[in-house]
Amino acid sequence: MTKNRSLEKSIVGFIEQSGFDSCSLHEIKAGRNSRVYRVDGVDRQALLKIYHRHPSDLRDRLDAEYSFLELMAGVEPIPVSSPIQRDDRQGFGLYEFLPGEPVTQISIADIDQAAAFITAINKLRTSEAAKRLGLASEACRTIDEHVALVSKRVFRLRNAVISQDASSVSEFVEGNLLPTLSAIISNICSAYDAGVRREPVSDQHWILSPSDFGFHNVLRVDGSLFFVDFEYAGWDDPAKLICDFGCHPEIPVSDEYLQALKNSFYPYLENAENSIHRSEILMPLYRLKWCCIMLNEFTSMGRARRNHAGEMFDFEKQLEKSKTYFEKYLTS
């Protein structure tokens, strides 16, 4: 039996065990780290995700997403898909299918819905189920950890051994990203002394975070927003959520809109002012992180994830995207 044939048999068995007597699968080119399918049954639909696993990447994306959705299941007014079934051995997750459309333009009403979503999930912060959740992917407890996280990405790119267009990426990393990283770290050190940079954010000031939070992970359903993709979700520094939300290149968020999200933290988050200030100091660092993320295809691990998801990638286009983003946000 071929590998593909064996996988098909495993998928069919998993879906049947989940209550679908007969169904058809339609691959959706939506995931960048997972293979995603729409499951059409006789009287209902579902979403199947086959999660990527790599020996060098120990993150359990299935457990992170499924557990986060289990926490929110049935809680109003949290607009997310409901989890149906999981198979940890094979890396399968089955979820309610949301027939919405991707968001391409945003308004202040959309920002309000995004803020209301973060507020709603954090009303669950003190629940026993929430306490059992793990840390978000790349969660950082100290300012020094934020710096180390992004520095690691820059140096990983510098050391990546990729044959195609390697010289162009190397020139960009050496000539732009590394000097900018040095300048950003210098500014952070000017804003916070060494003791503050090493001081962990208190657990009571952490939040439940979707992590990769932005309008690229939102569907519009009859005018309402539904939030998707929680592969990196968990407990995290609110400053990181703010930076992620404000930095994503696909659907830029204006300063005015980002401020509206920041303001939403005050009613429920103790010490919100310090978290917001920290996000403003760290924002250039996370802009630099996004320059690196857009170049993931030039690393072996990043390329393996794209291959698993069945996504084609254009090396030259990704490098140009990163350069354009850098010019827009980091040249000053």
Side-chain angles (χ1 to χ4, degrees), residues 188-235:
I188 291 172
C189 291
S190 296
Y192 296 105
D193 64 35
V196 174
R197 294 198 307 272
R198 291 193 294 265
E199 185 178 346
V201 175
S202 169
D203 288 350
Q204 70 192 62
H205 300 151
W206 273 39
I207 60 169
L208 291 171
S209 171
S211 198
D212 187 16
F213 185 55
F215 288 100
H216 60 297
N217 283 330
V218 173
L219 294 174
R220 200 182 295 280
V221 183
D222 296 329
S224 298
L225 300 184
F226 278 75
F227 298 86
V228 301
D229 198 351
F230 302 100
E231 295 184 16
Y232 302 126
W235 289 98

mmCIF file of all heavy atoms in Angstrom, residues 188-235:
data_model
loop_
_atom_site.group_PDB
_atom_site.id
_atom_site.type_symbol
_atom_site.label_atom_id
_atom_site.label_comp_id
_atom_site.label_asym_id
_atom_site.label_seq_id
_atom_site.Cartn_x
_atom_site.Cartn_y
_atom_site.Cartn_z
ATOM 1 N N ILE A 188 16.126 49.136 23.370
ATOM 2 C CA ILE A 188 15.451 48.433 24.464
ATOM 3 C C ILE A 188 16.264 48.561 25.747
ATOM 4 O O ILE A 188 15.711 48.783 26.832
ATOM 5 C CB ILE A 188 15.227 46.952 24.094
ATOM 6 C CG1 ILE A 188 14.187 46.849 22.967
ATOM 7 C CG2 ILE A 188 14.776 46.144 25.312
ATOM 8 C CD1 ILE A 188 14.026 45.447 22.394
ATOM 9 N N CYS A 189 17.573 48.437 25.622
ATOM 10 C CA CYS A 189 18.442 48.565 26.797
ATOM 11 C C CYS A 189 18.414 49.985 27.365
ATOM 12 O O CYS A 189 18.598 50.187 28.576
ATOM 13 C CB CYS A 189 19.877 48.183 26.442
ATOM 14 S SG CYS A 189 20.089 46.413 26.108
ATOM 15 N N SER A 190 18.152 50.959 26.508
ATOM 16 C CA SER A 190 18.023 52.338 26.979
ATOM 17 C C SER A 190 16.706 52.548 27.714
ATOM 18 O O SER A 190 16.619 53.363 28.641
ATOM 19 C CB SER A 190 18.113 53.315 25.797
ATOM 20 O OG SER A 190 19.378 53.255 25.176
ATOM 21 N N ALA A 191 15.674 51.801 27.300
ATOM 22 C CA ALA A 191 14.350 51.950 27.906
ATOM 23 C C ALA A 191 14.226 51.200 29.220
ATOM 24 O O ALA A 191 13.479 51.618 30.112
ATOM 25 C CB ALA A 191 13.282 51.471 26.927
ATOM 26 N N TYR A 192 14.951 50.062 29.349
ATOM 27 C CA TYR A 192 14.841 49.230 30.549
ATOM 28 C C TYR A 192 16.235 48.848 31.027
ATOM 29 O O TYR A 192 17.061 48.389 30.229
ATOM 30 C CB TYR A 192 14.076 47.938 30.245
ATOM 31 C CG TYR A 192 12.624 48.135 29.844
ATOM 32 C CD1 TYR A 192 12.236 47.988 28.516
ATOM 33 C CD2 TYR A 192 11.652 48.435 30.797
ATOM 34 C CE1 TYR A 192 10.905 48.148 28.141
ATOM 35 C CE2 TYR A 192 10.328 48.592 30.428
ATOM 36 C CZ TYR A 192 9.953 48.450 29.100
ATOM 37 O OH TYR A 192 8.645 48.604 28.737
ATOM 38 N N ASP A 193 16.487 48.981 32.321
ATOM 39 C CA ASP A 193 17.795 48.543 32.828
ATOM 40 C C ASP A 193 17.833 47.016 32.906
ATOM 41 O O ASP A 193 16.809 46.345 32.739
ATOM 42 C CB ASP A 193 18.118 49.187 34.172
ATOM 43 C CG ASP A 193 17.174 48.784 35.304
ATOM 44 O OD1 ASP A 193 16.716 47.625 35.321
ATOM 45 O OD2 ASP A 193 16.901 49.629 36.172
ATOM 46 N N ALA A 194 18.991 46.460 33.179
ATOM 47 C CA ALA A 194 19.192 45.006 33.110
ATOM 48 C C ALA A 194 18.276 44.257 34.073
ATOM 49 O O ALA A 194 17.749 43.189 33.748
ATOM 50 C CB ALA A 194 20.655 44.675 33.398
ATOM 51 N N GLY A 195 18.073 44.810 35.273
ATOM 52 C CA GLY A 195 17.214 44.135 36.242
ATOM 53 C C GLY A 195 15.781 44.031 35.772
ATOM 54 O O GLY A 195 15.147 42.971 35.917
ATOM 55 N N VAL A 196 15.255 45.088 35.185
ATOM 56 C CA VAL A 196 13.881 45.065 34.666
ATOM 57 C C VAL A 196 13.773 44.119 33.482
ATOM 58 O O VAL A 196 12.786 43.390 33.344
ATOM 59 C CB VAL A 196 13.429 46.493 34.272
ATOM 60 C CG1 VAL A 196 12.054 46.466 33.604
ATOM 61 C CG2 VAL A 196 13.399 47.404 35.482
ATOM 62 N N ARG A 197 14.793 44.094 32.640
ATOM 63 C CA ARG A 197 14.755 43.212 31.457
ATOM 64 C C ARG A 197 14.730 41.742 31.843
ATOM 65 O O ARG A 197 14.216 40.911 31.097
ATOM 66 C CB ARG A 197 15.958 43.485 30.543
ATOM 67 C CG ARG A 197 15.960 44.859 29.909
ATOM 68 C CD ARG A 197 16.900 44.917 28.713
ATOM 69 N NE ARG A 197 18.240 44.468 29.010
ATOM 70 C CZ ARG A 197 19.220 45.242 29.483
ATOM 71 N NH1 ARG A 197 18.981 46.517 29.747
ATOM 72 N NH2 ARG A 197 20.431 44.749 29.700
ATOM 73 N N ARG A 198 15.275 41.416 33.007
ATOM 74 C CA ARG A 198 15.311 40.019 33.458
ATOM 75 C C ARG A 198 14.129 39.648 34.343
ATOM 76 O O ARG A 198 13.958 38.485 34.695
ATOM 77 C CB ARG A 198 16.619 39.747 34.208
ATOM 78 C CG ARG A 198 17.863 39.763 33.329
ATOM 79 C CD ARG A 198 19.046 39.172 34.072
ATOM 80 N NE ARG A 198 19.443 39.999 35.204
ATOM 81 C CZ ARG A 198 20.403 40.930 35.151
ATOM 82 N NH1 ARG A 198 21.056 41.148 34.022
ATOM 83 N NH2 ARG A 198 20.718 41.627 36.238
ATOM 84 N N GLU A 199 13.322 40.627 34.708
ATOM 85 C CA GLU A 199 12.210 40.385 35.635
ATOM 86 C C GLU A 199 11.022 39.754 34.911
ATOM 87 O O GLU A 199 10.501 40.314 33.953
ATOM 88 C CB GLU A 199 11.782 41.706 36.275
ATOM 89 C CG GLU A 199 10.716 41.546 37.346
ATOM 90 C CD GLU A 199 10.370 42.877 37.980
ATOM 91 O OE1 GLU A 199 11.129 43.850 37.779
ATOM 92 O OE2 GLU A 199 9.334 42.947 38.653
ATOM 93 N N PRO A 200 10.548 38.586 35.355
ATOM 94 C CA PRO A 200 9.422 37.925 34.667
ATOM 95 C C PRO A 200 8.119 38.701 34.839
ATOM 96 O O PRO A 200 7.879 39.300 35.891
ATOM 97 C CB PRO A 200 9.333 36.553 35.355
ATOM 98 C CG PRO A 200 10.618 36.388 36.094
ATOM 99 C CD PRO A 200 11.081 37.761 36.454
ATOM 100 N N VAL A 201 7.294 38.661 33.819
ATOM 101 C CA VAL A 201 5.945 39.202 33.926
ATOM 102 C C VAL A 201 5.164 38.293 34.868
ATOM 103 O O VAL A 201 5.185 37.066 34.737
ATOM 104 C CB VAL A 201 5.258 39.246 32.545
ATOM 105 C CG1 VAL A 201 3.815 39.700 32.660
ATOM 106 C CG2 VAL A 201 6.030 40.162 31.596
ATOM 107 N N SER A 202 4.467 38.885 35.817
ATOM 108 C CA SER A 202 3.708 38.111 36.796
ATOM 109 C C SER A 202 2.619 37.291 36.113
ATOM 110 O O SER A 202 2.021 37.731 35.125
ATOM 111 C CB SER A 202 3.067 39.066 37.806
ATOM 112 O OG SER A 202 2.126 38.397 38.613
ATOM 113 N N ASP A 203 2.358 36.097 36.640
ATOM 114 C CA ASP A 203 1.309 35.239 36.081
ATOM 115 C C ASP A 203 -0.036 35.955 36.011
ATOM 116 O O ASP A 203 -0.813 35.746 35.076
ATOM 117 C CB ASP A 203 1.153 33.963 36.920
ATOM 118 C CG ASP A 203 2.316 33.001 36.726
ATOM 119 O OD1 ASP A 203 3.125 33.237 35.814
ATOM 120 O OD2 ASP A 203 2.408 32.019 37.482
ATOM 121 N N GLN A 204 -0.328 36.796 36.991
ATOM 122 C CA GLN A 204 -1.624 37.486 36.995
ATOM 123 C C GLN A 204 -1.722 38.537 35.907
ATOM 124 O O GLN A 204 -2.810 39.039 35.623
ATOM 125 C CB GLN A 204 -1.881 38.120 38.367
ATOM 126 C CG GLN A 204 -0.977 39.312 38.695
ATOM 127 C CD GLN A 204 -1.069 39.703 40.140
ATOM 128 O OE1 GLN A 204 -0.746 38.924 41.029
ATOM 129 N NE2 GLN A 204 -1.531 40.912 40.410
ATOM 130 N N HIS A 205 -0.595 38.861 35.281
ATOM 131 C CA HIS A 205 -0.588 39.831 34.191
ATOM 132 C C HIS A 205 -0.495 39.154 32.825
ATOM 133 O O HIS A 205 -0.410 39.833 31.804
ATOM 134 C CB HIS A 205 0.569 40.821 34.361
ATOM 135 C CG HIS A 205 0.501 41.589 35.642
ATOM 136 N ND1 HIS A 205 1.619 42.063 36.300
ATOM 137 C CD2 HIS A 205 -0.567 41.951 36.410
ATOM 138 C CE1 HIS A 205 1.254 42.681 37.417
ATOM 139 N NE2 HIS A 205 -0.065 42.629 37.501
ATOM 140 N N TRP A 206 -0.477 37.822 32.814
ATOM 141 C CA TRP A 206 -0.500 37.084 31.559
ATOM 142 C C TRP A 206 -1.942 36.917 31.089
ATOM 143 O O TRP A 206 -2.890 37.063 31.880
ATOM 144 C CB TRP A 206 0.156 35.708 31.745
ATOM 145 C CG TRP A 206 1.639 35.751 31.534
ATOM 146 C CD1 TRP A 206 2.470 36.747 31.930
ATOM 147 C CD2 TRP A 206 2.443 34.781 30.878
ATOM 148 N NE1 TRP A 206 3.758 36.455 31.576
ATOM 149 C CE2 TRP A 206 3.769 35.251 30.927
ATOM 150 C CE3 TRP A 206 2.191 33.562 30.271
ATOM 151 C CZ2 TRP A 206 4.835 34.543 30.369
ATOM 152 C CZ3 TRP A 206 3.252 32.847 29.727
ATOM 153 C CH2 TRP A 206 4.553 33.345 29.773
ATOM 154 N N ILE A 207 -2.095 36.614 29.824
ATOM 155 C CA ILE A 207 -3.437 36.431 29.274
ATOM 156 C C ILE A 207 -3.510 35.139 28.463
ATOM 157 O O ILE A 207 -2.490 34.573 28.076
ATOM 158 C CB ILE A 207 -3.853 37.610 28.363
ATOM 159 C CG1 ILE A 207 -2.885 37.745 27.175
ATOM 160 C CG2 ILE A 207 -3.964 38.901 29.150
ATOM 161 C CD1 ILE A 207 -3.371 38.713 26.105
ATOM 162 N N LEU A 208 -4.738 34.693 28.219
ATOM 163 C CA LEU A 208 -4.977 33.631 27.251
ATOM 164 C C LEU A 208 -4.893 34.253 25.869
ATOM 165 O O LEU A 208 -5.618 35.206 25.562
ATOM 166 C CB LEU A 208 -6.356 33.008 27.476
ATOM 167 C CG LEU A 208 -6.521 32.193 28.755
ATOM 168 C CD1 LEU A 208 -7.986 31.810 28.959
ATOM 169 C CD2 LEU A 208 -5.664 30.933 28.698
ATOM 170 N N SER A 209 -4.022 33.723 25.045
ATOM 171 C CA SER A 209 -3.746 34.343 23.751
ATOM 172 C C SER A 209 -3.880 33.348 22.603
ATOM 173 O O SER A 209 -3.386 32.226 22.703
ATOM 174 C CB SER A 209 -2.323 34.909 23.745
ATOM 175 O OG SER A 209 -1.948 35.344 22.449
ATOM 176 N N PRO A 210 -4.525 33.753 21.493
ATOM 177 C CA PRO A 210 -4.528 32.911 20.291
ATOM 178 C C PRO A 210 -3.144 32.841 19.660
ATOM 179 O O PRO A 210 -2.903 32.029 18.778
ATOM 180 C CB PRO A 210 -5.500 33.632 19.348
ATOM 181 C CG PRO A 210 -6.221 34.626 20.191
ATOM 182 C CD PRO A 210 -5.306 34.974 21.317
ATOM 183 N N SER A 211 -2.253 33.717 20.109
ATOM 184 C CA SER A 211 -0.888 33.851 19.609
ATOM 185 C C SER A 211 -0.872 34.476 18.218
ATOM 186 O O SER A 211 -0.858 35.691 18.120
ATOM 187 C CB SER A 211 -0.129 32.526 19.634
ATOM 188 O OG SER A 211 1.267 32.764 19.552
ATOM 189 N N ASP A 212 -0.936 33.716 17.160
ATOM 190 C CA ASP A 212 -0.869 34.278 15.805
ATOM 191 C C ASP A 212 -2.189 34.999 15.520
ATOM 192 O O ASP A 212 -2.984 34.575 14.692
ATOM 193 C CB ASP A 212 -0.618 33.149 14.802
ATOM 194 C CG ASP A 212 -0.364 33.669 13.386
ATOM 195 O OD1 ASP A 212 -0.086 34.870 13.237
ATOM 196 O OD2 ASP A 212 -0.473 32.874 12.442
ATOM 197 N N PHE A 213 -2.397 36.132 16.214
ATOM 198 C CA PHE A 213 -3.692 36.807 16.215
ATOM 199 C C PHE A 213 -3.702 37.969 15.236
ATOM 200 O O PHE A 213 -2.881 38.876 15.315
ATOM 201 C CB PHE A 213 -3.997 37.314 17.630
ATOM 202 C CG PHE A 213 -5.357 37.934 17.782
ATOM 203 C CD1 PHE A 213 -6.495 37.240 17.429
ATOM 204 C CD2 PHE A 213 -5.482 39.223 18.281
ATOM 205 C CE1 PHE A 213 -7.754 37.819 17.577
ATOM 206 C CE2 PHE A 213 -6.734 39.798 18.444
ATOM 207 C CZ PHE A 213 -7.867 39.095 18.085
ATOM 208 N N GLY A 214 -4.631 37.913 14.303
ATOM 209 C CA GLY A 214 -4.769 38.973 13.321
ATOM 210 C C GLY A 214 -5.890 38.644 12.359
ATOM 211 O O GLY A 214 -6.484 37.560 12.404
ATOM 212 N N PHE A 215 -6.181 39.559 11.463
ATOM 213 C CA PHE A 215 -7.322 39.373 10.566
ATOM 214 C C PHE A 215 -7.047 38.360 9.458
ATOM 215 O O PHE A 215 -7.960 37.996 8.714
ATOM 216 C CB PHE A 215 -7.751 40.726 9.988
ATOM 217 C CG PHE A 215 -8.430 41.590 11.009
ATOM 218 C CD1 PHE A 215 -7.742 42.607 11.648
ATOM 219 C CD2 PHE A 215 -9.748 41.358 11.358
ATOM 220 C CE1 PHE A 215 -8.359 43.387 12.614
ATOM 221 C CE2 PHE A 215 -10.383 42.131 12.321
ATOM 222 C CZ PHE A 215 -9.688 43.156 12.947
ATOM 223 N N HIS A 216 -5.814 37.877 9.346
ATOM 224 C CA HIS A 216 -5.524 36.777 8.431
ATOM 225 C C HIS A 216 -6.122 35.472 8.957
ATOM 226 O O HIS A 216 -6.264 34.510 8.199
ATOM 227 C CB HIS A 216 -4.011 36.623 8.240
ATOM 228 C CG HIS A 216 -3.281 36.336 9.516
ATOM 229 N ND1 HIS A 216 -3.238 37.215 10.570
ATOM 230 C CD2 HIS A 216 -2.568 35.251 9.915
ATOM 231 C CE1 HIS A 216 -2.535 36.700 11.560
ATOM 232 N NE2 HIS A 216 -2.120 35.503 11.181
ATOM 233 N N ASN A 217 -6.478 35.449 10.248
ATOM 234 C CA ASN A 217 -7.081 34.263 10.864
ATOM 235 C C ASN A 217 -8.518 34.548 11.299
ATOM 236 O O ASN A 217 -8.941 34.167 12.393
ATOM 237 C CB ASN A 217 -6.249 33.803 12.076
ATOM 238 C CG ASN A 217 -4.998 33.060 11.653
ATOM 239 O OD1 ASN A 217 -4.982 32.404 10.608
ATOM 240 N ND2 ASN A 217 -3.953 33.149 12.444
ATOM 241 N N VAL A 218 -9.255 35.220 10.425
ATOM 242 C CA VAL A 218 -10.636 35.600 10.712
ATOM 243 C C VAL A 218 -11.502 35.304 9.491
ATOM 244 O O VAL A 218 -11.070 35.477 8.352
ATOM 245 C CB VAL A 218 -10.728 37.108 11.065
ATOM 246 C CG1 VAL A 218 -12.177 37.555 11.190
ATOM 247 C CG2 VAL A 218 -9.986 37.405 12.366
ATOM 248 N N LEU A 219 -12.718 34.836 9.750
ATOM 249 C CA LEU A 219 -13.720 34.654 8.693
ATOM 250 C C LEU A 219 -14.918 35.552 9.001
ATOM 251 O O LEU A 219 -15.323 35.685 10.163
ATOM 252 C CB LEU A 219 -14.185 33.201 8.622
ATOM 253 C CG LEU A 219 -13.152 32.168 8.185
ATOM 254 C CD1 LEU A 219 -13.734 30.757 8.319
ATOM 255 C CD2 LEU A 219 -12.699 32.415 6.752
ATOM 256 N N ARG A 220 -15.469 36.150 7.947
ATOM 257 C CA ARG A 220 -16.668 36.959 8.121
ATOM 258 C C ARG A 220 -17.875 36.108 7.761
ATOM 259 O O ARG A 220 -17.978 35.602 6.634
ATOM 260 C CB ARG A 220 -16.593 38.211 7.233
ATOM 261 C CG ARG A 220 -17.533 39.332 7.693
ATOM 262 C CD ARG A 220 -17.472 40.530 6.752
ATOM 263 N NE ARG A 220 -16.194 41.193 6.719
ATOM 264 C CZ ARG A 220 -15.753 42.063 7.625
ATOM 265 N NH1 ARG A 220 -16.505 42.343 8.675
ATOM 266 N NH2 ARG A 220 -14.571 42.640 7.500
ATOM 267 N N VAL A 221 -18.780 35.940 8.719
ATOM 268 C CA VAL A 221 -19.972 35.125 8.532
ATOM 269 C C VAL A 221 -21.194 36.001 8.799
ATOM 270 O O VAL A 221 -21.458 36.364 9.957
ATOM 271 C CB VAL A 221 -19.977 33.901 9.477
ATOM 272 C CG1 VAL A 221 -21.202 33.031 9.209
ATOM 273 C CG2 VAL A 221 -18.697 33.084 9.314
ATOM 274 N N ASP A 222 -21.911 36.362 7.735
ATOM 275 C CA ASP A 222 -23.110 37.212 7.872
ATOM 276 C C ASP A 222 -22.823 38.472 8.679
ATOM 277 O O ASP A 222 -23.594 38.868 9.574
ATOM 278 C CB ASP A 222 -24.251 36.425 8.534
ATOM 279 C CG ASP A 222 -24.707 35.247 7.677
ATOM 280 O OD1 ASP A 222 -24.622 35.354 6.444
ATOM 281 O OD2 ASP A 222 -25.142 34.239 8.258
ATOM 282 N N GLY A 223 -21.708 39.105 8.398
ATOM 283 C CA GLY A 223 -21.373 40.363 9.058
ATOM 284 C C GLY A 223 -20.631 40.221 10.365
ATOM 285 O O GLY A 223 -20.048 41.186 10.863
ATOM 286 N N SER A 224 -20.644 39.029 10.959
ATOM 287 C CA SER A 224 -19.931 38.797 12.209
ATOM 288 C C SER A 224 -18.586 38.142 11.938
ATOM 289 O O SER A 224 -18.410 37.443 10.926
ATOM 290 C CB SER A 224 -20.761 37.896 13.134
ATOM 291 O OG SER A 224 -21.983 38.520 13.479
ATOM 292 N N LEU A 225 -17.642 38.349 12.837
ATOM 293 C CA LEU A 225 -16.317 37.768 12.692
ATOM 294 C C LEU A 225 -16.208 36.488 13.504
ATOM 295 O O LEU A 225 -16.647 36.429 14.656
ATOM 296 C CB LEU A 225 -15.246 38.754 13.162
ATOM 297 C CG LEU A 225 -15.162 40.096 12.432
ATOM 298 C CD1 LEU A 225 -13.978 40.893 12.960
ATOM 299 C CD2 LEU A 225 -15.062 39.908 10.918
ATOM 300 N N PHE A 226 -15.617 35.464 12.887
ATOM 301 C CA PHE A 226 -15.296 34.221 13.579
ATOM 302 C C PHE A 226 -13.780 34.045 13.520
ATOM 303 O O PHE A 226 -13.152 34.267 12.485
ATOM 304 C CB PHE A 226 -16.007 33.023 12.946
ATOM 305 C CG PHE A 226 -17.420 32.854 13.402
ATOM 306 C CD1 PHE A 226 -18.417 33.701 12.939
ATOM 307 C CD2 PHE A 226 -17.763 31.871 14.319
ATOM 308 C CE1 PHE A 226 -19.725 33.566 13.377
ATOM 309 C CE2 PHE A 226 -19.065 31.721 14.760
ATOM 310 C CZ PHE A 226 -20.058 32.574 14.285
ATOM 311 N N PHE A 227 -13.217 33.629 14.626
ATOM 312 C CA PHE A 227 -11.763 33.552 14.757
ATOM 313 C C PHE A 227 -11.309 32.104 14.644
ATOM 314 O O PHE A 227 -11.910 31.195 15.226
ATOM 315 C CB PHE A 227 -11.342 34.179 16.087
ATOM 316 C CG PHE A 227 -11.702 35.638 16.162
ATOM 317 C CD1 PHE A 227 -12.963 36.028 16.593
ATOM 318 C CD2 PHE A 227 -10.811 36.607 15.756
ATOM 319 C CE1 PHE A 227 -13.325 37.369 16.634
ATOM 320 C CE2 PHE A 227 -11.156 37.953 15.787
ATOM 321 C CZ PHE A 227 -12.418 38.330 16.230
ATOM 322 N N VAL A 228 -10.240 31.891 13.860
ATOM 323 C CA VAL A 228 -9.777 30.541 13.545
ATOM 324 C C VAL A 228 -8.266 30.454 13.741
ATOM 325 O O VAL A 228 -7.577 31.460 13.879
ATOM 326 C CB VAL A 228 -10.135 30.153 12.089
ATOM 327 C CG1 VAL A 228 -11.636 30.209 11.866
ATOM 328 C CG2 VAL A 228 -9.442 31.079 11.070
ATOM 329 N N ASP A 229 -7.769 29.221 13.737
ATOM 330 C CA ASP A 229 -6.346 28.901 13.761
ATOM 331 C C ASP A 229 -5.714 29.217 15.118
ATOM 332 O O ASP A 229 -5.232 30.322 15.366
ATOM 333 C CB ASP A 229 -5.587 29.626 12.653
ATOM 334 C CG ASP A 229 -4.235 28.976 12.379
ATOM 335 O OD1 ASP A 229 -3.841 28.082 13.159
ATOM 336 O OD2 ASP A 229 -3.582 29.349 11.396
ATOM 337 N N PHE A 230 -5.714 28.217 15.976
ATOM 338 C CA PHE A 230 -5.170 28.363 17.319
ATOM 339 C C PHE A 230 -4.036 27.372 17.567
ATOM 340 O O PHE A 230 -3.865 26.873 18.681
ATOM 341 C CB PHE A 230 -6.295 28.186 18.349
ATOM 342 C CG PHE A 230 -7.423 29.163 18.160
ATOM 343 C CD1 PHE A 230 -8.587 28.776 17.515
ATOM 344 C CD2 PHE A 230 -7.306 30.474 18.575
ATOM 345 C CE1 PHE A 230 -9.624 29.676 17.310
ATOM 346 C CE2 PHE A 230 -8.334 31.387 18.382
ATOM 347 C CZ PHE A 230 -9.496 30.985 17.752
ATOM 348 N N GLU A 231 -3.256 27.095 16.531
ATOM 349 C CA GLU A 231 -2.171 26.121 16.635
ATOM 350 C C GLU A 231 -1.065 26.564 17.590
ATOM 351 O O GLU A 231 -0.281 25.746 18.057
ATOM 352 C CB GLU A 231 -1.576 25.841 15.255
ATOM 353 C CG GLU A 231 -2.541 25.169 14.288
ATOM 354 C CD GLU A 231 -1.891 24.806 12.968
ATOM 355 O OE1 GLU A 231 -0.646 24.797 12.909
ATOM 356 O OE2 GLU A 231 -2.619 24.523 12.008
ATOM 357 N N TYR A 232 -0.990 27.855 17.856
ATOM 358 C CA TYR A 232 0.073 28.374 18.718
ATOM 359 C C TYR A 232 -0.477 28.952 20.023
ATOM 360 O O TYR A 232 0.227 29.646 20.756
ATOM 361 C CB TYR A 232 0.847 29.471 17.979
ATOM 362 C CG TYR A 232 1.454 29.016 16.680
ATOM 363 C CD1 TYR A 232 1.209 29.690 15.480
ATOM 364 C CD2 TYR A 232 2.277 27.896 16.639
ATOM 365 C CE1 TYR A 232 1.764 29.261 14.290
ATOM 366 C CE2 TYR A 232 2.849 27.468 15.450
ATOM 367 C CZ TYR A 232 2.589 28.160 14.281
ATOM 368 O OH TYR A 232 3.148 27.738 13.103
ATOM 369 N N ALA A 233 -1.758 28.693 20.333
ATOM 370 C CA ALA A 233 -2.447 29.361 21.437
ATOM 371 C C ALA A 233 -1.965 28.892 22.809
ATOM 372 O O ALA A 233 -1.397 27.807 22.963
ATOM 373 C CB ALA A 233 -3.946 29.130 21.314
ATOM 374 N N GLY A 234 -2.235 29.724 23.826
ATOM 375 C CA GLY A 234 -1.898 29.394 25.206
ATOM 376 C C GLY A 234 -1.690 30.659 26.017
ATOM 377 O O GLY A 234 -2.104 31.749 25.630
ATOM 378 N N TRP A 235 -1.006 30.519 27.133
ATOM 379 C CA TRP A 235 -0.720 31.662 28.008
ATOM 380 C C TRP A 235 0.464 32.458 27.469
ATOM 381 O O TRP A 235 1.466 31.888 27.037
ATOM 382 C CB TRP A 235 -0.395 31.171 29.413
ATOM 383 C CG TRP A 235 -1.574 30.630 30.150
ATOM 384 C CD1 TRP A 235 -1.935 29.312 30.276
ATOM 385 C CD2 TRP A 235 -2.572 31.377 30.856
ATOM 386 N NE1 TRP A 235 -3.088 29.199 31.017
ATOM 387 C CE2 TRP A 235 -3.506 30.452 31.384
ATOM 388 C CE3 TRP A 235 -2.767 32.749 31.090
ATOM 389 C CZ2 TRP A 235 -4.601 30.853 32.139
ATOM 390 C CZ3 TRP A 235 -3.860 33.141 31.836
ATOM 391 C CH2 TRP A 235 -4.766 32.209 32.356
#
